[in-house]
Amino acid sequence: MTATTPAGRPAITDDRVELAPGTVPADPRFVNDDLLPVPVERRRWTTYNFTALWVGMAHNIPSWMLASGLVALGMDWKQAVLTIALANVIVLLPMLLTGHAGPKYGIPFPVLARASFGLRGANLPALIRAGVACAWFGIQTWIGGQGVFVLLDKVFGGWSEAARVGGQPWTLWLCFVLFWALELAIIYRGMEALRRFENWAAPFVIVGALVLLVWVSAKAGGLGPLLDQPSKLGWGADFWPVFFPSLMGMIAFWATLSLNIPDFTRFGAGQRAQVWGQTLGLPTTMTLFALLSVLVTSGSQAVYGAPVWDPVALAAKTDNVFGLLFALVTVLVATLSVNIAANVVSPAYDLANLAPKLIGFRTGALITGVVGVVIMPWKLTATPELYIFTWLGLVGGLLGTVAGILIADYWLVRRTVLDLEGLYRADGPYWYRGGWNPVAVLAFAVGGILAVGGSHSAPGTGPFPEDGLIPFLKPLADYGWAVGLVASLLLYTALMRHGTAARSPVRSR
């Protein structure tokens, strides 16, 4: 049971806070059932649940393409695994810092953002995160549908010869739509259904990846050829210009979750569960999966003369019907497990925060599904350069900026103490000026410009000018996530500590 203080304020029992009975806010502009804190008795996700969540999310086709894409860019397997392992150790820290508010207060990401951006201003980071998630949802759904299409074409034949609609066979569109509908059907059943799905999906996908490694190593004549593929970059002047933007791209891959991880940790049984679950689940799983990916991609280079960085295209090279069907099921489970957890949960909450009276969790999920279709996601994964440098680099810079503000506000300004009821009240301490905190907006603008202002593309490989959008910021572009996070964190902390907005709210104890 959670006690209450004599004044009726929310009380802390083993560091977890909930609203006192009878104090549930009722303002429809800022409250609905999905945005309210999770009651303490419903916060029961364990270390295993969080570990399984990360295993399920990490073992997916786009994360496979990250690692194998590094090999395609010229790295050897050691360089690619090192890059990904380092990136995931780095991104784990902001993940744990922002995740702390989940078990303690039971609140999702957009409600946590109200403390720093204001009750209305929180829609700015929430919509940025939602937009990125919708794009990721589309990418994952397209890849999943395409994988189903390729494998079914191998099993039954003739699918690729079907009449074309919009430049693609109608059978491909059918696979895409069916895959999309299956994802939304699962998430529509709620977070408890997601937890159960992730618990068994995680080990299944690991088995599928190991089977693919065994198959390609047999084709290559053993593991020797897989490990002998040399680096085209070496460790000198050619390596570092690829390493640093690749490192930022790897960080950016999970930078989305470093913001909205409270959407999941709010169901945690305590801090120990989320800290150990994420620490055991994220860096270890991504490093293992990266190792499997680069070994398989190196093996494909040894077998076919060129790296095949798409695991679906590689699996389609076999003529064994059982192998193809097993690969088909693995593709389905792998893509479902990450896409539902990483790219539907967050925008569903974010869109609910935009209009709580009109949009609930399920409605937000359906909107995410529609937006994810109309962005034409197939273009973002056309080449490893566009996928890693342009898409992930730009996204990472913006999300790193938001993460810096959230961490600065929660840890450095407020020392993890929030007025829980005040997060839902227009007359509370987080109203600032008309519901917006000018300090947060300024820190976001400055950090965002520094992080992505220098974005550039080599001729013919991306949408940006070769000299950068803002040429003198070009040297910062390869470090966008780190630049955005550090700049916004320092600026926000300095301005809040020296301004009237720095006053701490009424303590929830």
Side-chain angles (χ1 to χ4, degrees):
M1 297 288 292
T2 301
T4 59
T5 65
R9 304 296 303 169
I12 294 180
T13 301
D14 71 13
D15 199 40
R16 291 183 292 175
V17 183
E18 65 179 2
L19 293 171
T23 63
V24 177
D27 191 334
R29 296 174 298 169
F30 308 113
V31 180
N32 65 25
D33 290 342
D34 297 311
L35 296 177
L36 285 172
V38 175
V40 167
E41 65 269 15
R42 288 176 48 206
R43 301 178 204 174
R44 53 176 181 261
W45 284 34
T46 65
T47 297
Y48 176 79
N49 293 139
F50 286 112
T51 302
L53 177 75
W54 274 114
V55 172
M57 289 198 294
H59 291 168
N60 62 85
I61 296 173
S63 66
W64 181 286
M65 292 166 70
L66 278 180
S68 54
L70 295 180
V71 174
L73 289 172
M75 291 188 183
D76 64 17
W77 72 272
K78 296 183 293 294
Q79 292 170 330
V81 172
L82 172 64
T83 302
I84 290 173
L86 179 59
N88 283 279
V89 169
I90 292 173
V91 81
L92 176 65
L93 181 58
M95 200 85 67
L96 297 177
L97 291 176
T98 54
H100 184 277
K104 183 170 183 177
Y105 294 102
I107 54 177
F109 155 65
V111 175
L112 174 62
R114 293 175 182 180
S116 51
F117 282 85
L119 268 72
R120 287 175 173 164
N123 286 315
L124 173 62
L127 288 179
I128 291 173
R129 174 64 184 95
V132 171
C134 289
W136 270 122
F137 176 82
I139 290 172
Q140 293 270 14
T141 304
W142 175 255
I143 290 174
Q146 194 175 41
V148 172
F149 168 77
V150 169
L151 295 173
L152 288 179
D153 182 52
K154 285 285 292 185
V155 174
F156 299 109
W159 283 54
S160 59
E161 305 301 323
R164 293 185 172 264
V165 177
Q168 303 288 351
W170 70 265
T171 45
L172 174 55
W173 293 116
L174 176 63
C175 292
F176 177 63
V177 170
L178 290 176
F179 195 82
W180 174 85
L182 179 61
E183 290 174 316
L184 293 186
I186 294 175
I187 196 61
Y188 194 78
R189 300 189 63 183
M191 291 294 290
E192 187 62 21
L194 172 63
R195 182 180 69 88
R196 292 195 299 267
F197 177 77
E198 295 290 349
N199 283 347
W200 69 263
F204 182 86
V205 176
I206 295 176
V207 173
L210 290 172
V211 168
L212 190 58
L213 174 62
V214 170
W215 172 69
V216 78
S217 63
K219 295 275 288 185
L223 287 176
L226 277 64
L227 302 177
D228 289 341
Q229 297 298 319
S231 170
K232 297 177 182 177
L233 304 173
W235 289 95
D238 292 334
F239 173 71
W240 301 111
V242 175
F243 169 76
F244 284 111
S246 296
L247 180 68
M248 292 299 107
M250 301 305 105
I251 292 173
F253 190 76
W254 291 124
T256 50
L257 268 294
S258 71
L259 292 185
N260 76 281
I261 195 64
D263 293 342
F264 301 96
T265 61
R266 67 193 297 232
F267 297 95
Q271 295 300 339
R272 182 184 298 272
Q274 75 100 2
V275 169
W276 279 106
Q278 294 200 81
T279 302
L280 294 173
L282 174 58
T284 55
T285 299
M286 281 296 290
T287 302
L288 173 62
F289 204 55
L291 180 60
L292 289 172
S293 172
V294 296
L295 288 177
V296 170
T297 304
S298 296
S300 71
Q301 185 168 333
V303 174
Y304 300 108
V308 182
W309 70 304
D310 184 344
V312 173
L314 183 60
K317 290 182 178 293
T318 181
D319 293 322
N320 184 285
V321 174
F322 174 79
L324 286 167
L325 291 175
F326 180 78
L328 174 64
V329 175
T330 303
V331 166
L332 281 169
V333 174
T335 309
L336 284 169
S337 66
V338 65
N339 213 19
I340 294 172
N343 302 318
V344 178
V345 173
S346 172
Y349 284 127
D350 296 338
L351 292 168
N353 188 70
L354 180 65
K357 189 175 181 180
L358 301 175
I359 303 175
F361 180 82
R362 289 179 171 86
T363 304
L366 293 176
I367 294 173
T368 300
V370 173
V371 174
V373 170
V374 301
I375 60 152
M376 296 184 291
W378 45 88
K379 293 186 177 181
L380 290 175
T381 55
T383 68
E385 292 85 2
L386 185 63
Y387 180 46
I388 293 175
F389 294 161
T390 302
W391 164 242
L392 289 179
L394 183 65
V395 165
L398 292 176
L399 297 180
T401 301
V402 175
I405 295 171
L406 294 183
I407 293 169
D409 183 80
Y410 184 69
W411 286 95
L412 302 180
V413 175
R414 308 193 189 279
R415 307 300 175 114
T416 76
V417 176
L418 300 176
D419 181 340
L420 185 56
E421 186 182 348
L423 291 169
Y424 300 90
R425 292 186 3 250
D427 60 348
Y430 309 113
W431 187 245
Y432 299 105
R433 297 181 183 176
W436 290 78
N437 182 2
V439 171
V441 175
L442 177 62
F444 174 76
V446 173
I449 291 172
L450 291 175
V452 305
S455 298
H456 57 92
S457 304
T461 65
F464 302 119
E466 185 176 3
D467 293 331
L469 291 171
I470 304 175
F472 75 90
L473 293 179
K474 182 179 178 180
L476 301 180
D478 290 345
Y479 315 93
W481 179 84
V483 169
L485 186 145
V486 172
S488 63
L489 184 148
L490 294 177
L491 180 59
Y492 181 87
T493 303
L495 293 177
M496 288 291 285
R497 284 184 171 177
H498 291 85
T500 57
R503 289 197 302 266
S504 296
V506 177
R507 289 178 176 264
S508 301
R509 49 174 107 208

